[in-house]
Amino acid sequence: MGAGLFQPGHLLVILLIVLIIFGPGKLPELGSALGNGIREFKRAINGAHDEPSPSGGAPLAPAVSPALVPGSATCGRCQAPAQPGARYCTQCGQPLTTG
């Protein structure tokens, strides 16, 4: 049913409609907002809540000690190494618990 939904011809029609609705001046802002939304979604998935520093450099260090962060060692289900600060395993999606 959904086979071929995003063929090049369909994408061109969608792009043309977006161009008509928003105009060429708003497309860079729209792309930037979409990129920021995707970036925030990825941060939420990984459990990282670091905000960029005011100077625009590297993100600030987490406020919680890595020893107290859930899943700082390995995942209980798949035994994959867990990233510090992650709430879910990046391999299997299992919620990480303290312990």
Side-chain angles (χ1 to χ4, degrees), residues 40 42-52 59-63 84-87:
E40 288 298 319
K42 286 182 180 180
R43 283 186 189 148
I45 293 293
N46 292 331
H49 298 290
D50 301 336
E51 295 294 325
L60 300 173
R87 292 183 181 177

Side-chain angles (χ1 to χ4, degrees), residues 16-42:
L16 181 65
I17 292 170
V18 168
L19 185 62
I20 290 171
I21 291 173
F22 294 105
K26 292 285 186 181
L27 284 183
E29 293 175 26
L30 187 64
S32 175
L34 181 63
N36 287 337
I38 292 172
R39 196 173 303 115
E40 288 298 319
F41 180 74
K42 286 182 180 180

Side-chain angles (χ1 to χ4, degrees), residues 53-76:
S53 65
S55 63
L60 300 173
V64 178
S65 164
L68 301 176
V69 175
S72 60
T74 59
C75 172

